[in-house]
Amino acid sequence: MGEDKLQSLVTESRNPDSMSIDMESTMGMLEIMNREDARVAEAVARVLPEVAEVVEKTVESLKKGGRLFYAGAGTSGRVGFMDASECPPTFMTPPEQIQAIMAGGGEAFEQAKENAEDEEEAGYRDLDAASPDDRDVVIGITASGRTPYPVGTLKRAGEAGAYTVALSCNPEALISTYADTAIEVIVGPEVLTGSTRLKAATSHKMILNMISTSVMIQLGKVYENLMVDVHASNYKLRRRAESILKTVTDTGEEEASLLLKNANYEVKTAIMMKKADISYEKAKEILDACDGYLRKAESSISH
């Protein structure tokens, strides 16, 4: 895209409400940014139907053994990496189930490699290395909607028959033409012209959080509003697991700690052991028969 067309993008236009931000007091700067951030949730609300479609398609795909990929460059890639990296400890997902692919590779997460985004072939090649197929979901993330790297990933995903999603912040974005579902969340001009690490990135983080969380809820990873598949791998998470167990089963602290230990720190299994007064092996058997859904497992033992 030429410089003239780049300037015409919503994400590159100047915000009339922040023209004098460099002359503001500290509080004045913060109030401007806060007012602009308040508009992000409103913009996200307008694209919820598209987000819902992505969630439902992703649930179908993961139930078939598929994977979810986030692909982006710069800030967009880092937002995807954050969401993907938080799923294993929160929901005990295998690391390969939700993956982030970023222009410039792993090093670009820590140190910016801004020129890496310009190569469409690199995005195509990086996704190709993961051997995508028709069970997978690939979300290309780009605030401008025109970044070559995620465009390349969606092209490769489309060839593989994967479900493709474009997440951008401009209307009629180029990347949308390569997607089964396009989410164009229009947050308006940034406080600092073109600095899409601000509102655009915030909107994308909100949407990716919604997608992964809603998908995991529908895969049985949540009971009521409790993270019953939390990976209790350190002190803080073990304490959280104990708290969940005590809340669901009305168990005392000492018993909850012992139950969790006997359940290999698997919260859902410990809940079933306590509620049905059964062994670890039997609890696992029931949960497996109910595809890991705790409510189903509870229902099965109450009949």
Side-chain angles (χ1 to χ4, degrees):
M1 179 180 286
E3 187 65 22
D4 56 337
K5 289 188 177 180
L6 180 63
Q7 296 301 325
S8 70
L9 297 175
V10 172
T11 49
E12 296 294 328
S13 57
R14 296 189 73 185
N15 190 326
D17 296 329
S18 62
M19 298 283 269
S20 61
I21 196 169
D22 61 324
M23 299 174 63
E24 292 282 349
S25 66
T26 298
M27 184 57 73
M29 294 177 188
L30 298 179
E31 287 173 343
I32 289 171
M33 286 189 277
N34 183 243
R35 282 195 297 271
E36 291 298 316
D37 284 344
R39 295 173 180 169
V40 175
E42 295 172 1
V44 171
R46 290 192 288 271
V47 298
L48 288 182
E50 290 79 15
V51 177
E53 185 176 320
V54 173
V55 169
E56 289 166 2
K57 294 285 189 181
T58 303
V59 170
E60 290 175 15
S61 294
L62 297 192
K63 282 183 174 180
K64 295 174 184 174
R67 300 163 295 175
L68 171 59
F69 291 92
Y70 297 141
T75 299
S76 295
R78 293 184 193 99
V79 169
F81 176 77
M82 276 198 306
D83 196 69
S85 65
E86 289 164 359
C87 287
T90 307
F91 301 113
M92 214 184 291
T93 58
E96 65 275 5
Q97 189 174 52
I98 301 177
Q99 301 181 40
I101 297 176
M102 183 166 177
E107 293 178 5
F109 290 117
E110 297 180 4
Q111 185 170 353
K113 294 187 176 183
E114 298 303 327
N115 63 328
E117 71 178 48
D118 293 333
E119 193 181 344
E120 185 179 297
E121 177 58 33
Y124 184 101
R125 189 172 57 243
D126 288 352
L127 182 63
D128 185 64
S131 302
D133 62 37
D134 59 4
R135 297 172 299 171
D136 296 328
V137 176
V138 181
I139 302 178
I141 312 163
T142 160
S144 69
R146 54 169 287 282
T147 307
Y149 184 88
V151 168
T153 63
L154 287 199
K155 284 185 176 181
R156 179 65 189 93
E159 290 176 3
Y163 175 68
T164 53
V165 181
L167 179 56
S168 70
C169 287
N170 279 291
E172 299 180 2
L174 171 67
I175 196 169
S176 296
T177 64
Y178 299 100
D180 295 310
T181 299
I183 304 173
E184 297 175 347
V185 52
I186 313 304
V187 296
E190 297 287 2
V191 169
L192 301 181
T193 306
S195 184
T196 52
R197 69 186 182 85
L198 300 174
K199 291 192 297 181
T202 298
S203 72
H204 287 173
K205 185 176 191 303
M206 290 173 71
I207 288 170
L208 295 185
N209 284 168
M210 286 178 170
I211 291 170
S212 59
T213 302
S214 298
V215 166
M216 291 300 141
I217 291 171
Q218 293 189 48
L219 291 177
K221 302 285 187 177
V222 173
Y223 178 85
E224 295 176 356
N225 61 351
L226 299 170
M227 297 183 292
V228 289
D229 255 341
V230 64
H231 186 204
S233 57
N234 61 23
Y235 176 79
K236 180 190 78 172
L237 294 175
R238 281 195 294 272
R239 294 295 292 175
R240 180 176 296 161
E242 287 175 13
S243 176
I244 292 169
L245 182 57
K246 288 189 292 181
T247 299
V248 174
T249 62
D250 196 25
T251 305
E253 190 160 334
E254 189 174 328
E255 185 182 4
S257 179
L258 183 60
L259 260 173
L260 266 179
K261 186 176 180 182
N262 291 338
N264 198 27
Y265 295 100
E266 298 164 10
V267 180
K268 285 194 294 193
T269 311
I271 290 170
M272 287 298 297
M273 289 167 66
K274 172 64 178 177
K275 286 199 168 189
D277 191 21
I278 53 179
S279 67
Y280 171 79
E281 290 76 17
K282 184 63 178 176
K284 288 283 285 183
E285 180 185 322
I286 294 171
L287 280 165
D288 288 345
C290 296
D291 298 319
Y293 289 86
L294 183 54
R295 284 193 187 273
K296 272 191 200 176
E298 280 185 331
S299 179
S300 74
I301 60 172
S302 64
H303 290 100

